[in-house]
Amino acid sequence: MSSLEEQIAEIEEEIRSTQYNKATQLHVGRLRAKLAVLRLEREKRAHAKGGGGLGYAVRKSGHATVGLVGYPSVGKSTLLNAITGAESEIGAYDFTTLSIIPGMLRYQGASIQILDMPGLVPGAAKGRGRGREVLSVVRSVELILFLIDKDHTDFKGLVDELENAGIRINGRPPKIVVTPADRGGVTVSSTVRITHLADGIAAQIVREFGIHNGSVILREDATADQLIDVLAGNRVYVRAILGVNKSDLLTRPEMEALKARLKPFVPVFVSARSRQGMAELVNAVGKALEFIRVYLKPPGREADLEEPIILRRGDRVEDLLRRLPTDLGVQFKSALVWGRSARFPGQTVGREHLLADEDLITIVIQRGSRPGG
Ligand SMILES: Nc1nc2c(ncn2[C@@H]2O[C@H](COP(=O)(O)OP(=O)(O)O)[C@@H](O)[C@H]2O)c(=O)[nH]1
Ligand SMILES: [Mg+2]
């Protein structure tokens, strides 16, 4: 029996060498599922050996955390120093950043933590170059800032490295529900027309994961990879933007050629050394994080418009409560909302209510409890 690593390599090779078409769809789908199962096993073993995490637990702070991801020597540390005033070690050789250095960036009242990490090398997902530790930190950030330069332009390789570690860039969880059962075989149903997972492919993939009974509901025309993501279960979906550093070394035509090749990403060209493009990059980071500002309105009084509470798009009343003194969260009864998220001014809502930028909010606490804060 060949080793786990060899089995993985064999399947990777077979997938690479198999032309993907209608006739091979089923076969390739099964191979991908097998590969995912083997990679999960590899993760499990690495975990059991204790290889990972230790010393890499980064205390997150600020309103959001951004991870700088790139090959060694593209200028990640120089960039961190240029935009935050952190002191990250800079060297003209690879692997200079052996630990993760945080810096803090201010953007329209929000504090953004930026993490400078060791450069990713090919094979990082397998644990090369402390890759596993770096990738585990990347999983926890709110935004990835990819950085490449003139000599390290293999952006796809970088993205693949994250993909192999279960990190999905600029995606969202697939609309697929898999429910294992005790008997009855595997049934697949869908609410839309299915093109990628038709002809029993979905059921085959589910079986590769050891599920022989249960239901699969496809609420979108999902691909084999998406179904595998749902079955593997340890995927994270992270937003990302891309910067091209050392653009002081690039000619106009070189920039245009790079731009064309990097589509659909729209890179921001910067030079961390000469500080060109810094404002534009900071803006791109701030925009991508989608901050919203809400204001507290004490009962019967005007809101304090000087002191916004900074949240992110998609945050709910419960996320706001986490930013307030704990007793307010404990005594919370309901909230009154004025603004874009309210159906009418002063609407009463619960913890689940989705907030919008510029909302005014009054927290109503339970009768008998004393107001906190
Ligand atoms: N020409 C040029 N060199 C840069 C720039 N940014 C960084 N460097 C140089 O690239 C080398 C590697 O930088 P470093 O920040 O240590 O890269 P890291 O390994 O990605 O953290 C150093 O010699 C830097 O001075 C830039 O914008 N232009
Ligand atoms: Mg560095």
Side-chain angles (χ1 to χ4, degrees), residues 188-194 216-220:
V188 179
S189 59
S190 59
T191 56
V192 295
R193 208 173 81 83
I194 293 304
V216 180
I217 304 172
L218 305 168
R219 296 191 195 282
E220 68 176 305

Side-chain angles (χ1 to χ4, degrees), residues 288-308:
L289 285 169
E290 302 187 293
F291 292 115
I292 62 172
R293 287 159 183 76
V294 302
Y295 302 88
L296 284 187
K297 179 176 150 31
R301 283 195 279 140
E302 290 298 304
D304 180 2
L305 298 178
E306 298 293 308
E307 289 270 340

Side-chain angles (χ1 to χ4, degrees), residues 71-78 89-93 96-97 116 245-246 248-249 270-274:
Y71 296 113
S73 294
V74 298
K76 297 181 297 299
S77 303
T78 310
E89 197 182 330
I90 296 166
Y93 43 89
T96 44
T97 315
D116 177 24
N245 191 33
K246 308 191 191 182
D248 50 299
L249 305 176
V270 297
S271 167
R273 184 179 275 176
S274 69

Side-chain angles (χ1 to χ4, degrees), residues 149-219:
D149 73 6
K150 161 178 207 290
D151 300 318
H152 308 82
T153 55
D154 183 15
F155 178 54
K156 189 179 172 300
L158 209 53
V159 172
D160 284 349
E161 214 54 65
L162 300 196
E163 291 276 332
N164 286 344
I167 299 166
R168 299 289 169 263
I169 306 301
N170 291 340
R172 41 145 196 81
K175 294 181 183 148
I176 303 173
V177 183
V178 179
T179 315
D182 290 335
R183 61 181 86 81
V186 174
T187 60
V188 179
S189 59
S190 59
T191 56
V192 295
R193 208 173 81 83
I194 293 304
T195 60
H196 307 289
L197 289 172
D199 310 323
I201 297 179
Q204 279 291 356
I205 290 173
V206 169
R207 280 186 211 108
E208 291 294 341
F209 276 80
I211 299 173
H212 297 282
N213 298 290
S215 68
V216 180
I217 304 172
L218 305 168
R219 296 191 195 282

